[in-house]
Amino acid sequence: MLLAALYCLLWTFQTSAGHFPRACASSKNLMEKECCPPWEGDGSPCGLLSGRGSCQDIILSKAPLGPQFPFAGVDDRESWPSVFYNRTCQCFGNFMGFNCGNCKFGFWGPTCTERRLLVRRNIFDLSVPEKNKFLAYLTLAKHTTSADYVIPTGTYGQMNNGSTPLFNDINVYDLFVWMHYYVSRDALLGGSEIWRDIDFAHEAPGFLPWHRLFLLLWEKEIQKLTGDENFTIPYWDWRDAENCDICTDEYMGGRNPANPNLLSPASLFSSWQVRCAGHTISEHKRTVAITSSGSSS
């Protein structure tokens, strides 16, 4: 059973700990095609001086492509992330992240050697204070600009092959909305041509592992944002549910009686705006979904 997450659409290709690190969004980084920022702990690229990682060439898979995407060299997501970067931080041991500054999942402490077991719980088993804390964390994420990541507003070609970076700030919540959108969107073939018969996150064997990693990354960002290392995203077990019993104003939002496609005005989320495909969508859209095995609404 996977868990609870919130999205309008969401993704990234071969997932890295961060899609576009702010530290690698300059024309210098893009034109040199290198993303090896320093770890703040010792100031060296990838924390090399502390044995955390090193800057290395990206090794791409040589496996033959399937017939689902009969193109090559037309989409920025192909052979990710080589269109943007050829060298990135490769982390050692229990370290991970765009600068090897984080611990791998399940490890903690200054040297990432402490093991800790976190328990994921059914959202209906949370006490009222626990449920309210979860919702408060989501609200904080929605209203906090990500310190580490930005999102692109154009393709690499539109950035003049990196000389004119096109990136925007994004809040922590919408960062993951955008990631899921980016991995799932249609392929841009140039001009007005698009290829709709592709969805890298959902129509392949990577569906389950990709979403599991996606949610773990989202959970880690909430932990960093709040300082609550014990935070876990609750799950909703909908296997025997006849209706969406999580879709109430107490939890993820009931339906607007005047328009079932919108959230109830009494919902915490009814005034949220969502960024999809680089645009801001009007208020009161149903933007929140909880999933235990991949479903979303």
Side-chain angles (χ1 to χ4, degrees):
M1 226 173 291
L2 280 176
L3 39 92
L6 314 110
Y7 43 102
C8 136
L9 297 143
L10 309 103
W11 99 269
T12 142
F13 210 71
Q14 281 177 343
T15 318
S16 58
H19 195 66
F20 284 91
R22 186 181 296 275
C24 298
S26 70
S27 58
K28 181 178 186 295
N29 289 111
L30 291 170
M31 294 181 71
E32 293 179 354
K33 304 193 75 170
E34 181 173 291
C35 182
C36 295
W39 173 54
E40 60 275 11
D42 64 15
S44 66
C46 313
L48 177 64
L49 294 179
S50 298
R52 286 178 167 259
S54 65
C55 189
Q56 299 179 25
D57 292 340
I58 294 170
I59 299 176
L60 299 173
S61 171
K62 295 181 180 179
L65 300 178
Q68 301 89 341
F69 188 66
F71 305 99
V74 299
D75 193 294
D76 285 353
R77 301 168 298 174
E78 295 177 52
S79 300
W80 182 262
S82 61
V83 169
F84 294 93
Y85 309 110
N86 287 328
R87 288 172 60 80
T88 60
C89 288
Q90 305 298 308
C91 304
F92 307 145
N94 296 331
F95 302 111
M96 64 174 281
F98 64 86
N99 63 355
C100 301
N102 295 333
C103 298
K104 286 184 177 179
F105 306 116
F107 291 91
W108 308 82
T111 56
C112 300
T113 55
E114 302 173 18
R115 296 299 301 262
R116 186 185 307 173
L117 178 65
L118 299 182
V119 178
R120 199 174 304 288
R121 300 169 60 194
N122 190 317
I123 193 169
F124 291 121
D125 291 338
L126 301 181
S127 66
V128 171
E130 289 171 333
K131 183 262 295 180
N132 290 340
K133 182 174 74 171
F134 170 57
L135 298 180
Y137 283 0
L138 299 186
T139 302
L140 178 63
K142 182 68 175 179
H143 294 93
T144 303
T145 300
S146 173
D148 292 329
Y149 307 117
V150 291
I151 62 170
T153 57
T155 64
Y156 190 70
Q158 290 169 333
M159 297 184 197
N160 296 316
N161 296 322
S163 63
T164 309
L166 297 173
F167 294 96
N168 273 357
D169 286 338
I170 190 77
N171 66 60
V172 173
Y173 176 92
D174 285 347
L175 171 67
F176 286 85
V177 172
W178 175 83
M179 286 170 66
H180 194 278
Y181 154 75
Y182 191 70
V183 76
S184 305
R185 69 161 172 79
D186 300 334
L188 308 178
L189 304 182
S192 60
E193 293 187 65
I194 61 174
W195 178 262
R196 291 189 172 90
D197 297 332
I198 194 68
D199 185 332
F200 292 111
H202 300 93
E203 297 175 354
F207 172 77
L208 289 178
W210 187 91
H211 283 83
R212 183 170 184 82
L213 178 56
F214 169 83
L215 291 167
L216 286 169
L217 291 170
W218 186 86
E219 187 173 76
K220 183 176 283 288
E221 285 300 304
I222 296 292
Q223 292 169 350
K224 289 170 58 179
L225 174 65
T226 62
D228 185 353
E229 293 183 342
N230 295 313
F231 169 74
T232 57
I233 304 173
Y235 66 85
W236 170 40
D237 184 357
W238 47 259
R239 291 173 299 178
D240 297 321
E242 296 182 1
N243 299 295
C244 180
D245 48 6
I246 203 72
C247 298
T248 66
D249 290 339
E250 180 183 2
Y251 289 96
M252 310 319 292
R255 295 186 183 278
N256 188 317
N259 187 338
N261 293 319
L262 304 181
L263 282 174
S264 162
S267 166
L268 167 69
F269 305 104
S270 64
S271 63
W272 281 24
Q273 292 185 334
V274 179
R275 182 188 300 269
C276 289
H279 301 288
T280 300
I281 295 179
S282 60
E283 293 183 344
H284 309 303
K285 295 290 186 182
R286 174 173 289 278
T287 65
V288 179
I290 280 203
T291 174
S292 61
S293 60
S295 275
S296 65
S297 62

